[in-house]
Amino acid sequence: MDEAYKRVVVGLSGASGMPYALDLLRTLRRIPHLQIHLVMTQGAKRVLVEEAETTVEAVEALAHAVHRSPDLGAPIASGSFRTVGMVVIPCSATTLAKIAWGLADNLLTRAAYVTLKERRPLILVPREAPLPLPSLEAMVKAAQAGATILPASPGFYHKPQNIEDLLGFITQRILDLLDIPYPRSARWKDEG
C-alpha cells in the first residue's frame, strides 16, 4: 500500500479489556509510517478510568489523530479515507450488535460500517464471557458482513511470563490480520 495510505482506525468501546487496547495502541505507535486514528465512545472513557492506570488524555496522545464519537463528519466516516483497516478493542456487546446490523449512530459504528462497505479488514475484539445468544448471533452476523471476530482469549503455547506477554499475543494476531509486519509476540514453533 502507498505510504500515504498507511492509516489504521482504532475504536475503543465501553467494555472491559482496556489493557488490550493500550497494548495495541502502544505497539502501533512504534511502527514507522503508520498513522493511528482513534475514536473512543463515552463508555470507553468511563471503563478506561476504571481499569487502567492512565488518563483519557494519555491514551489520546498515543494516536496521531483523535476523532470525537459524535462527529459523523470526521474523515474516518467516509470510504474515501483510505486505511489498512479498523480494530474495535475492546468491543462491547452493544457496539458488536450495532456493527452487525449496520446501525451507524456514532462515529465508531459509522467508521466500522464504512470499513465493511469498502471491504477493508474490520477486527472486533470482544472480551465478555460467557456469551449469551444475542451476542453469538451478532458475531455470526458481523462475520457474515466481513468482520473478523477475535475474542480476547490469548494462547499459552508461547509460555507467557507476564501480563504483557498475554496482551502481546492478541496484539500480534491483530497486526497479522491487518497485514502489518511487526514482531510483538512469539509465534508457534517460529524458528526465525
Side-chain angles (χ1 to χ4, degrees):
M1 179 174 262
D2 188 305
E3 291 295 320
Y5 299 124
K6 289 205 175 178
R7 300 182 287 218
V8 64
V9 178
V10 178
L12 278 60
S13 69
S16 181
M18 287 300 164
Y20 288 107
L22 293 174
D23 188 79
L24 176 65
L25 287 167
R26 289 175 180 139
T27 301
L28 290 172
R29 189 62 193 213
R30 293 192 293 266
I31 300 173
H33 310 295
L34 184 68
Q35 203 178 70
I36 305 162
H37 288 260
L38 177 67
V39 57
M40 285 191 279
T41 65
Q42 283 304 116
K45 292 177 182 179
R46 166 104 192 244
V47 175
L48 181 68
V49 170
E50 298 288 334
E51 284 191 353
E53 294 180 13
T54 189
T55 64
V56 170
E57 295 76 21
V59 173
E60 288 178 341
L62 293 170
H64 296 90
V66 177
H67 306 283
R68 302 290 167 222
S69 188
D71 184 10
L72 293 175
I76 63 173
S78 173
S80 65
F81 187 78
R82 302 264 321 263
T83 70
V84 297
M86 179 176 180
V87 183
V88 181
I89 182 171
C91 185
S92 69
T94 299
T95 298
L96 171 65
K98 288 179 180 182
I99 292 168
W101 273 270
L103 302 175
D105 65 343
N106 63 48
L107 184 57
L108 190 155
T109 55
R110 171 64 189 174
Y113 175 85
V114 165
T115 302
L116 290 174
K117 176 178 77 73
E118 297 297 325
R119 304 276 194 247
R120 296 179 187 137
L122 174 63
I123 301 153
L124 307 178
V125 186
R127 197 234 34 93
E128 292 186 65
L131 293 166
L133 184 57
S135 291
L136 293 169
E137 289 174 338
M139 286 181 188
V140 169
K141 185 80 169 164
Q144 288 171 334
T148 298
I149 311 299
L150 176 64
S153 179
F156 292 88
Y157 58 78
H158 63 296
K159 299 191 177 24
Q161 301 298 304
N162 51 46
I163 289 175
E164 286 73 29
D165 290 347
L166 295 171
L167 299 172
F169 181 92
I170 297 299
T171 293
Q172 186 67 67
R173 299 289 295 140
I174 292 167
L175 295 174
D176 291 348
L177 289 166
L178 290 172
D179 198 25
I180 297 174
Y182 189 84
R184 174 60 185 91
S185 180
R187 296 178 181 280
W188 173 249
K189 297 191 178 193
D190 188 0
E191 296 175 14

